[in-house]
Amino acid sequence: MKKRVLITGAAGFLGSHLVDRFLDEGYLVIGMDNFITGSTDNLSHLSGNPNFDFIEHDVTEHIDIKGNLDYILHFASPASPIDYLKIPIQTLKVGSLGTHNCLGLALAKKATILIASTSEVYGDPLVHPQSEDYYGNVNAVGPRGVYDEAKRFQEAITMAYHTFHKVPVRIVRIFNTYGPRMRMNDGRVIPAFIGQCLRKENLTVFGDGSQTRSFCYITDQVEGIYRLSQSNYSQPVNIGNPSEISILDFAKEILQLTSSNQEIVFEGLPKDDPLKRRPNIDLAKKLLGWEPKVLRTVGLQKTIDYFAGLPEEKWYQVEHKKFDDFIKK
Ligand code: NAD
Ligand code: UDP
């Protein structure tokens, strides 16, 4: 009998790649999404696949699934700072109410649930690199608080369902991940810089560009998440690439890779933008035998090729309709 998995956020960047991976592993996959930041384009290659079903649904509302479920992967949530600043209440609701619904479903179906947490639970970290035992430095009432605190609540309620109801849980703390199927206009630095190169615009570095990030290619991230889903470890695990770079050097790297000669212009650093970020992945190495394999230049080239291959109007698209309609409500 094939195992059955529900993946929320299935029309998004990470969710759609996880759908592909679980199908490849022989699962029956149900994707769920309300398309607020995701797109049908990310799932169009699966049309007619008998092992894949899709339900359009907002996970902050009660979730009803007929039949058995072995796994739930809860990935629904805006993930880009620009997105969650535009839809702050929806972001808080999907992390809290949406997670509660997924946990209730896991309990009812006796399923294992894996939730997508984030390096943002460490906030603007005072410990570097960040390991799982660091409690973080988050400003609850700052602009990023809606995302960071939703994710911290998500971890807390997940652990409560584990200790109180004995639901098998997995918690992945995802560090900046990139690759094909990101939205060109979602504001995250990689699509932003690549889009600016394609449109021949100047690259916008926020602050002086000395803040750092550590970028993980999608295939490495999916491998880490898959292995965690198959483990029996119920505490948080960092999955990310420890190769760290300043945003200014990163802008120069993108200019070089795209053979562009635009200028770098400096804009204000958004409030509470973390100054440093690099995962300590010792736990993932020990527990899952996992470490990233894709060099940043290799992953970036694949990502650049993906964006360059999109119809040109997508390079200029500001929002997609669902997002626009939602904001106007
Ligand atoms: P994404 O915006 O591409 O995907 C999120 C998906 O969730 C979208 O398809 C969106 O429509 C859907 N969604 C949002 N609210 C929903 C709701 N209420 N009901 C149903 N669907 C809803 O973002 P992503 O980068 O793929 O991120 C996926 C998950 O991974 C998120 O939980 C995010 O917090 C987490 N994460 C991602 C990164 C990263 O670098 N990509 C880093 C840390 C954590
Ligand atoms: N950033 C930038 N220019 C942009 C977009 C982002 O300099 O056009 C910076 C941003 O301030 C942050 C880093 O790039 O320091 C990564 O931003 P992103 O939104 O991708 O993710 P974050 O890690 O902040 O959630």
Side-chain angles (χ1 to χ4, degrees):
M1 264 261 286
K2 282 181 184 269
K3 290 198 170 145
R4 223 165 156 235
V5 57
L6 170 70
I7 303 183
T8 75
F13 163 55
L14 273 163
S16 65
H17 285 283
L18 285 164
V19 167
D20 289 345
R21 175 61 185 261
F22 276 78
L23 286 170
D24 286 349
E25 296 290 340
Y27 283 74
L28 297 173
V29 178
I30 306 166
M32 180 169 283
D33 208 291
N34 67 351
F35 296 115
I36 187 162
T37 61
S39 165
T40 48
D41 293 350
N42 293 336
L43 297 172
S44 54
H45 60 289
L46 297 174
S47 114
N49 184 324
N51 294 329
F52 180 66
D53 273 337
F54 183 80
I55 303 171
E56 183 170 349
H57 182 69
D58 179 340
V59 299
T60 66
E61 308 286 340
H62 179 80
I63 306 171
D64 189 22
I65 300 285
K66 304 273 176 275
N68 69 304
L69 276 181
D70 300 284
Y71 280 93
I72 299 171
L73 306 184
H74 179 35
F75 276 69
S77 168
S80 148
I82 286 191
D83 287 347
Y84 56 75
L85 289 178
K86 286 185 187 156
I87 44 173
I89 295 167
Q90 178 66 16
T91 302
L92 280 157
K93 283 173 71 180
V94 74
S96 52
L97 305 180
T99 304
H100 188 211
N101 287 336
C102 290
L103 286 162
L105 185 65
L107 177 64
K109 301 284 185 187
K110 299 189 172 33
T112 298
I113 178 166
L114 183 150
I115 59 139
S117 187
T118 165
S119 51
E120 281 284 323
V121 299
Y122 302 121
D124 189 5
L126 305 176
V127 167
H128 193 70
Q130 294 78 55
S131 51
E132 291 83 352
D133 55 5
Y134 176 47
Y135 293 165
N137 177 38
V138 169
N139 176 5
V141 293
R144 298 172 88 106
V146 295
Y147 181 68
D148 300 8
E149 294 299 354
K151 291 291 183 178
R152 288 168 71 96
F153 175 87
Q154 180 181 48
E155 289 197 5
I157 192 170
T158 299
M159 203 40 75
Y161 265 70
H162 179 61
T163 49
F164 189 75
H165 286 308
K166 312 285 177 245
V167 170
V169 302
R170 314 281 175 256
I171 302 173
V172 56
R173 287 186 181 155
I174 300 166
F175 283 66
N176 297 66
T177 298
Y178 70 98
R181 302 188 192 159
M182 292 183 95
R183 223 167 77 233
M184 172 77 94
N185 52 36
D186 84 356
R188 286 186 273 193
V189 69
I190 292 184
F193 284 174
I194 296 176
Q196 286 164 342
C197 288
L198 291 171
R199 294 185 302 265
K200 308 244 174 286
E201 296 168 1
N202 292 334
L203 268 64
T204 51
V205 165
F206 298 161
D208 63 5
S210 61
Q211 73 273 27
T212 67
R213 292 295 185 273
S214 308
F215 297 107
C216 182
Y217 190 61
I218 182 68
T219 52
D220 283 333
Q221 183 63 244
V222 165
E223 182 64 34
I225 293 170
Y226 182 75
R227 290 191 192 194
L228 180 62
S229 76
Q230 305 301 305
S231 78
N232 59 6
Y233 190 75
S234 47
Q235 296 288 317
V237 179
N238 290 341
I239 299 285
N241 189 323
S243 167
E244 185 180 4
I245 186 168
S246 76
I247 293 300
L248 181 56
D249 286 343
F250 185 64
K252 293 177 184 162
E253 191 168 280
I254 299 265
L255 284 174
Q256 203 177 19
L257 283 169
T258 54
S259 311
S260 305
N261 54 10
Q262 283 95 261
E263 312 230 317
I264 292 175
V265 294
F266 294 90
E267 294 188 355
L269 187 68
K271 183 165 164 39
D272 295 337
D273 196 296
L275 295 181
K276 284 182 175 172
R277 186 180 287 153
R278 168 153 61 103
N280 176 323
I281 56 164
D282 290 351
L283 181 61
K285 279 187 189 165
K286 193 165 138 228
L287 193 71
L288 311 172
W290 174 89
E291 61 183 321
K293 299 209 172 347
V294 182
L295 278 179
R296 192 173 56 241
T297 46
V298 175
L300 282 176
Q301 194 57 60
K302 289 178 197 261
T303 311
I304 291 166
D305 292 346
Y306 165 78
F307 282 119
L310 290 177
E312 219 171 299
E313 72 258 18
K314 297 249 178 198
W315 302 356
Y316 294 89
Q317 195 178 355
V318 179
E319 294 300 354
H320 67 296
K321 190 167 176 321
K322 195 98 185 197
F323 195 97
D324 257 357
D325 291 349
F326 195 87
I327 292 171
K328 280 187 211 131
K329 261 191 213 164

